[in-house]
């Protein structure tokens, strides 16, 4: 085991990133982005509210414009006082519309330029002029980079989030949808996350997502294509990419598929996502867990109330499917206690906030972070892990005076928990957060100290992956 505490001598393991693109999402994915989080579907009752707000907005603009014209023609003192106030209000109201129109115009121009360059490239394909083709490709690449810069602009979405009348993150999810839409290939996504970490000194566990059964139409590229591209990525970036297999119990011949692909030279673990519409103790999954136990392969499961869900599943349904207590039942089943399992997200940032603020009622459900912590600290489940993906990337949570990194350090003070927490980021779902991937990694390293950071970013991941044998329980 490497005992050095400098990253020049050991690799950072990011145990939770995604590289799927818009091609791997359902054709009606925008419908999910526009859903009411509580209902799990589009709230038709809110449509009149949004229509009314739009009408009121433009009516206010018209009223202020007429008021400004009226006041400009008056010479009384009250008119002179009110005129600049009306102009200020008019300016404030116009700014969101102005920004929106700029964004739309930029996107329209980019789409037209993309279409024009594609047409020119096709026309030049019969030409022997490689220089012209090269110039066209350079132009196309510049247009693509411009599109990405526009899509990464947070100002408009921040405004939309601020004015959103509904009690959900509808515009935030729309922004993330557009973030997915801009990614051309899995390799492009991977290259972006690579820039956030030490070059050639970071290993990434890449978790695919099977969105076939989201109830939102078909996929442009199947999960098999996504898996194939991921294997290609792992081969090209050998030693830097560790691919996992997305197992949905509703897949045709899912057990046979897993048996075929779950190998040390192919997919080195399983990823499940219960809030996509299936229980984690589905009979097919229980058989897959057995395969993982027999072959010493790890399983990563989404274990927070947030994330993506099957269209139509309410908050209560999603919580029931993703609850950490489901896994206590699985691990307590005879023959399953040694399953190597990562309850991803450590319950999620919202559950950390709920726990830190204390229960409002004596009968209130225990926060998921506490449930996961107690399961690991009990010592009853020798291969139970959790990761801090996404959760640690929202270090400052509204309503708390301390940040989540402080609480993480306290959680890691328990000797058993310290050995079962994995570093992960949930890239690129964290791209919309105000703090960058690199900043969080440095923040964690600084606040936790070199020993703890190495524990969660190197030692624990290698044991989780079976690269190294865990030290005896009770040792540090």
């Amino acid at each position: 085991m490497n005992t050095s505490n400098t990253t020049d001598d050991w690799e950072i393991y990011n145990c939770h990133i995604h590289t799927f693109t818009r091609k791997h999402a359902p054709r009606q994915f925008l419908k999910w982005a526009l859903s009411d989080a509580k209902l799990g579907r589009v709230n038709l009752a809110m449509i009149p509210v949004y229509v009314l707000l739009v009408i009121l907005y433009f009516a206010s603009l018209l009223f202020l414009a007429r008021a400004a014209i009226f006041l400009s023609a008056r010479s009384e003192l009250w008119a002179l006082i009110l005129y600049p106030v009306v102009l200020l209000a008019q300016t404030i109201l116009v700014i969101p519309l102005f920004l929106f129109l700029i964004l739309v115009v930029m996107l329209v121009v980019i789409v037209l330029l993309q279409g024009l360059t594609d047409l020119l490239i096709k026309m030049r394909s019969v030409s022997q002029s490689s220089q012209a083709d090269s110039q066209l490709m350079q132009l196309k690449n510049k247009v693509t980079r411009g599109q990405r810069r526009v899509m990464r602009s947070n100002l408009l979405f921040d405004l939309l989030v601020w004015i959103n009348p509904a009690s959900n993150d509808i515009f935030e999810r729309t922004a993330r949808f557009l973030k997915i839409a801009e990614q051309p290939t899995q390799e492009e996504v991977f290259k972006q996350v690579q820039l956030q970490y030490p070059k050639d000194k970071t290993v990434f566990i890449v978790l695919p997502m099977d969105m076939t059964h989201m109830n939102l139409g078909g996929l442009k590229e199947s999960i098999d294509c996504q898996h194939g591209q991921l294997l290609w990525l792992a081969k090209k970036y050998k030693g830097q990419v560790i691919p996992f297999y997305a197992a949905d119990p509703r897949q045709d011949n899912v057990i046979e598929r897993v048996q075929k692909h779950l190998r040390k030279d192919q997919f080195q673990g399983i990823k499940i996502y219960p809030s996509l519409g299936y229980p984690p103790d589905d009979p097919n999954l229980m058989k897959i867990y057995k395969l993982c136990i027999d072959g010493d392969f790890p399983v990563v499961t989404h274990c927070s109330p947030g994330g993506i869900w099957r269209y139509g599943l309410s908050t209560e349904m999603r919580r029931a499917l993703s609850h950490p207590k489901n896994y206590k039942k699985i691990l307590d089943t005879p023959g399953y206690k040694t399953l190597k399992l990562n309850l991803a997200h450590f319950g999620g940032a919202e559950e950390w906030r709920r726990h830190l603020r204390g229960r409002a009622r004596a009968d209130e459900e225990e926060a998921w972070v506490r449930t996961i912590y107690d399961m690991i600290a009990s010592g009853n489940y020798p291969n139970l892990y959790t990761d801090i993906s996404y959760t640690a990337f929202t270090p400052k949570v509204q309503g708390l005076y301390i940040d989540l990194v402080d609480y993480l350090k306290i959680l890691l003070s328990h000797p058993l928990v310290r050995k079962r927490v994995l570093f992960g980021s949930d890239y690129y779902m964290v791209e919309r957060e105000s703090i960058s991937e690199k900043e969080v990694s440095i923040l964690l390293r600084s606040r936790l100290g070199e020993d703890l950071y190495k524990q969660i970013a190197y030692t624990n991941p290698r044991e989780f992956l079976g690269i190294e044998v865990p030290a005896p329980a009770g040792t540090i």
Side-chain angles (χ1 to χ4, degrees):
M1 181 181 293
N2 193 324
T3 58
S4 172
N5 273 357
T6 66
T7 49
D8 290 337
D9 300 314
W10 54 272
E11 298 162 312
I12 295 172
Y13 282 77
N14 186 331
C15 298
H16 195 130
I17 74 163
H18 304 286
T19 58
F20 61 85
T21 71
R22 178 67 184 91
K23 300 174 194 172
H24 307 124
R27 298 183 188 278
Q28 301 173 35
F29 195 76
L30 185 58
K31 194 174 172 184
W32 171 85
L34 297 175
S35 297
D36 182 284
K38 292 181 180 179
L39 298 177
R41 55 177 174 77
V42 173
N43 186 358
L44 298 178
M46 285 301 298
I47 293 178
V49 176
Y50 284 108
V51 171
L52 179 61
L53 285 174
V54 171
I55 293 172
L56 288 174
Y57 173 76
F58 284 103
S60 299
L61 284 178
L62 181 61
F63 171 77
L64 289 172
R66 290 185 174 182
I69 294 172
F70 172 75
L71 292 172
S72 65
R74 310 286 298 191
S75 59
E76 292 88 350
L77 179 61
W78 61 268
L80 295 174
I81 294 173
L82 283 179
Y83 183 66
V85 175
V86 170
L87 287 180
L88 178 62
Q90 193 176 25
T91 302
I92 293 172
L93 280 178
V94 165
I95 286 174
L97 179 62
F98 180 70
L99 290 173
F100 178 77
L101 290 175
I102 288 177
L103 183 64
V104 169
V105 169
M106 291 175 70
L107 289 175
V108 169
V109 170
I110 286 170
V111 169
L112 290 175
L113 285 174
Q114 283 181 326
L116 180 61
T117 52
D118 287 341
L119 178 62
L120 289 173
I121 288 171
K122 288 180 181 179
M123 292 173 63
R124 296 294 304 184
S125 63
V126 296
S127 170
Q128 301 299 317
S129 174
S130 59
Q131 182 180 358
D133 289 344
S134 176
Q135 290 174 343
L136 286 172
M137 288 305 298
Q138 289 177 9
L139 175 61
K140 184 176 181 179
N141 290 335
K142 287 180 180 179
V143 172
T144 301
R145 287 195 295 271
Q147 181 189 27
R148 290 179 188 174
R149 282 195 289 269
V150 172
M151 299 297 277
R152 284 174 183 160
S153 173
N154 291 339
L155 177 60
L156 182 59
F157 288 110
D158 289 341
L159 285 170
L160 292 173
V161 170
W162 181 65
I163 66 173
N164 181 19
S167 59
N168 61 69
D169 57 349
I170 184 171
F171 291 120
E172 188 68 25
R173 279 183 279 114
T174 302
R176 286 208 171 93
F177 164 76
L178 293 173
K179 189 72 186 175
I180 293 171
E182 80 170 50
Q183 309 298 327
T185 66
Q186 292 198 65
E187 184 178 16
E188 287 298 314
V189 179
F190 180 68
K191 285 180 178 178
Q192 290 297 316
V193 71
Q194 267 191 315
L195 297 175
Q196 305 291 322
Y197 293 91
K199 187 177 181 181
D200 301 326
K201 298 296 293 184
T202 309
V203 180
F204 300 90
I205 294 180
V206 182
L207 305 172
M209 182 86 73
D210 184 1
M211 292 179 268
T212 306
H213 303 281
M214 279 188 71
N215 197 25
L216 291 171
L219 312 179
K220 187 173 182 180
E221 290 188 357
S222 70
I223 185 60
D224 292 332
C225 289
Q226 186 182 163
H227 280 147
Q229 294 160 6
L230 184 51
L231 282 180
W232 176 87
L233 192 69
K235 183 177 180 181
K236 181 172 181 178
Y237 297 90
K238 191 171 183 179
Q240 298 178 60
V241 172
I242 298 177
F244 273 42
Y245 189 91
D248 187 316
R250 297 163 295 187
Q251 292 172 356
D252 294 334
N253 306 313
V254 64
I255 298 171
E256 290 77 9
R257 288 169 180 245
V258 169
Q259 285 178 317
K260 177 181 178 182
H261 294 292
L262 199 61
R263 292 163 33 187
K264 296 299 182 183
D265 62 341
Q266 288 194 27
F267 294 98
Q268 299 182 37
I270 293 295
K271 172 66 190 294
I272 65 171
Y273 210 107
S275 58
L276 287 176
Y278 53 85
D281 60 350
D282 182 279
N284 280 341
L285 289 179
M286 295 299 284
K287 293 176 182 177
I288 290 172
Y289 301 152
K290 268 295 184 185
L291 294 174
C292 291
I293 293 170
D294 294 341
D296 192 30
F297 290 102
V299 176
V300 176
T301 180
H302 177 82
C303 192
S304 87
I308 294 175
W309 62 84
R310 176 180 168 85
Y311 185 77
L313 287 181
S314 67
T315 298
E316 292 75 17
M317 295 175 181
R318 303 195 302 270
R319 288 182 70 90
L321 290 171
S322 300
H323 203 289
K325 288 184 178 179
N326 293 330
Y327 303 98
K328 187 177 188 303
K329 177 183 174 183
I330 292 170
L331 294 172
D332 285 337
T333 302
Y336 288 84
K337 192 174 290 290
T338 58
L339 174 66
K340 195 175 284 184
L341 178 66
N342 170 18
L343 303 181
H345 313 300
F346 214 152
E350 179 57 30
E351 290 295 303
W352 284 42
R353 185 196 67 81
R354 192 162 69 88
H355 175 64
L356 290 171
R357 296 195 67 179
R359 297 189 189 186
R361 307 183 313 274
D363 61 343
E364 186 177 330
E365 179 193 47
E366 181 180 65
W368 291 18
V369 59
R370 186 70 205 186
T371 302
I372 296 170
Y373 176 90
D374 287 344
M375 288 173 67
I376 296 174
S378 71
N380 295 330
Y381 311 106
N383 291 326
L384 180 62
Y385 291 78
T386 188
D387 72 40
I388 56 172
S389 60
Y390 201 94
T391 303
F393 283 70
T394 52
K396 291 300 293 182
V397 177
Q398 187 176 5
L400 294 179
Y401 290 102
I402 66 171
D403 65 43
L404 300 189
V405 178
D406 292 325
Y407 184 46
L408 173 63
K409 192 169 183 178
I410 293 174
L411 295 175
L412 293 174
S413 66
H414 191 289
L416 291 180
V417 176
R418 181 182 310 173
K419 290 176 172 295
R420 297 292 178 264
V421 174
L422 308 169
F423 172 71
S425 66
D426 204 14
Y427 188 87
Y428 48 91
M429 292 297 107
V430 294
E431 275 286 88
R432 281 278 304 155
E433 298 305 327
S434 58
I435 186 167
S436 74
E437 191 112 350
K438 179 179 286 188
E439 287 177 291
V440 172
S441 184
I442 293 172
L443 174 68
L444 283 169
R445 187 172 180 179
S446 172
R447 299 272 285 278
L448 296 180
E450 289 296 295
D451 289 340
L452 278 180
Y453 182 73
K454 182 182 178 183
Q455 183 80 46
I456 68 172
Y458 176 79
T459 306
N460 295 347
R462 288 173 67 84
E463 293 175 354
F464 177 67
L465 293 166
I467 299 171
E468 293 185 4
V469 178
T475 62
I476 299 177

